[in-house]
Amino acid sequence: MAVIEGWLPPTRENWEFVAYWWQFLPVVTTLQLFFPYWPQGKTSVSSRFNLPGPLAWFVMEVPGMTVLSYLFYTLPGPSYAALPTGSPSSLPWGNWVMATLYVVHYTYRAILAPLFLNPSMSPSHPMVYCAAFLWQTANAISIGGWVGGYGPRTDKDWYHHGQYMFAGMVIWFLGFIGNIFHDDDLREIRRESMRRQRRDAEKKAKEQGRSVDEYMRNVTVQKVYMLPKNGLFAFVTHAHYLCEWVEWAGWWMIGGLRCTPARSFLLNEMSSMVPRALQGHRWYKEKFGPEKVGRRKAVVPGLL
């Protein structure tokens, strides 16, 4: 049963329409360079419509994996006349590899990180989570249609670039591990800050003859930001962005250079994140001073 007739799952014509126009998103996202307003994370603002950080992140990221998974299981297989709708087992193994790696990434990004791993997250403005929700949905339709049957439909379709697939998987894995490593470096800054505030609270609560929990209920926990220094953070202030680009560059290699949805995904992500990285880099300089940031670049060592 279709969620939205003709769109979820999409007809081939509608999928081609989305996949084609999705290539041109950088024309829109690069406008952020001239209007650097992104009320989320370090630069979040107060609003009555803000969502708590973990919930907002879940809401805006989870469509990527859910929509792709839905299309993968509902679009026709390689033989449209012979197979019923929803026959993913008929799809070639390359489709399964790309879909699986995509879901693995977003299981971490949309569920594990915000709901279980991150010690705290700043609230997000509705402009952010609504825009990201639409971004993820359109991207998942573009990619989901390709891996779900509108792209390669037989193992033979994968033969022409099989030699690059293993290299692409290795690059994806290295980017994914690097992404998690640098994310956790940022999390450790927040965890250490919370441990320090807890120690201070224990000391003051003891002086006042109160329990720590009682004391903490009347204290506003202060968010502390520091310059991360481990790994690639020694060279850029947004190493987690860089690792994610490496990850999706490897994923594009798996699909082949002619895989337009994978290429669009990488370029759209880069064009969406570069303005954010530059804004964050300026924030670090304003917060800690140019001398502390030193020769670090925003996201690409030595270049950007």
Side-chain angles (χ1 to χ4, degrees):
M1 181 178 178
V3 176
I4 302 176
E5 193 64 39
W7 293 98
L8 283 177
T11 62
R12 186 176 187 94
E13 292 74 19
N14 287 344
W15 169 73
E16 290 176 349
F17 175 84
V18 172
Y20 176 77
W21 287 106
W22 191 236
Q23 301 175 83
F24 301 104
L25 184 69
V27 175
V28 177
T29 54
T30 51
L31 294 177
Q32 296 177 87
L33 292 169
F34 307 100
F35 304 98
Y37 174 71
W38 196 246
Q40 178 196 23
K42 297 185 291 292
T43 54
S44 62
V45 297
S46 298
S47 170
R48 61 188 298 182
F49 301 109
N50 278 357
L51 280 182
L55 177 60
W57 199 264
F58 173 80
V59 167
M60 68 188 190
E61 293 285 314
V62 81
M65 59 184 289
T66 54
V67 171
L68 181 138
S69 299
Y70 171 71
L71 299 188
F72 195 72
Y73 277 89
T74 55
L75 284 177
S79 178
Y80 298 105
L83 292 172
T85 297
S87 300
S89 60
S90 65
L91 294 169
W93 69 276
N95 298 48
W96 277 91
V97 168
M98 293 190 73
T100 299
L101 296 183
Y102 187 93
V103 171
V104 166
H105 172 89
Y106 279 103
T107 298
Y108 163 72
R109 174 65 62 200
I111 299 175
L112 296 179
L115 302 183
F116 299 100
L117 298 177
N118 294 347
S120 63
M121 297 181 72
S122 298
S124 288
H125 192 275
M127 183 189 78
V128 174
Y129 55 77
C130 287
F133 180 92
L134 294 174
W135 196 104
Q136 288 289 350
T137 301
N139 189 57
I141 290 174
S142 173
I143 293 171
W146 195 85
V147 298
Y150 292 148
R153 292 184 287 176
T154 67
D155 287 334
K156 187 176 181 180
D157 292 332
W158 289 92
Y159 290 162
H160 65 283
H161 68 280
Q163 66 271 28
Y164 302 111
M165 292 185 67
F166 179 75
M169 286 188 279
V170 170
I171 292 171
W172 180 91
F173 179 77
L174 292 175
F176 182 59
I177 294 301
N179 193 1
I180 293 175
F181 172 84
H182 292 96
D183 277 352
D184 198 64
D185 197 46
L186 294 173
R187 283 192 285 264
E188 181 56 30
I189 292 174
R190 186 61 51 82
R191 286 192 292 258
E192 175 57 30
S193 171
M194 294 176 70
R195 287 193 292 265
R196 185 165 55 250
Q197 291 183 50
R198 179 79 179 183
R199 289 193 297 267
D200 292 343
E202 289 174 351
K203 180 179 178 181
K204 293 180 180 178
K206 185 176 181 180
E207 293 173 353
Q208 298 176 17
R210 302 160 65 186
S211 69
V212 176
D213 292 336
E214 179 185 3
Y215 178 84
M216 291 294 289
R217 281 196 294 269
N218 300 312
V219 174
T220 301
V221 176
Q222 300 295 319
K223 292 192 174 181
V224 175
Y225 291 98
M226 297 174 61
L227 268 171
K229 299 177 181 179
N230 295 321
L232 293 176
F233 281 124
F235 307 100
V236 293
T237 54
H238 292 75
H240 48 318
Y241 285 16
L242 176 61
C243 288
E244 189 161 334
W245 297 351
V246 170
E247 183 183 349
W248 295 123
W251 196 75
W252 179 18
M253 185 181 293
I254 296 172
L257 295 179
R258 296 180 181 179
C259 180
T260 300
R263 181 192 65 206
S264 296
F265 179 23
L266 174 62
L267 297 181
N268 289 347
E269 184 169 83
M270 292 175 68
S271 68
S272 298
M273 295 168 72
V274 163
R276 175 66 176 154
L278 294 176
Q279 181 192 29
H281 193 68
R282 288 193 296 269
W283 184 91
Y284 276 122
K285 285 186 174 181
E286 293 169 1
K287 180 76 173 178
F288 301 104
E291 65 284 352
K292 289 286 186 180
V293 175
R295 301 179 64 181
R296 292 184 185 92
K297 296 295 184 178
V299 67
V300 180
L303 295 177
L304 181 64

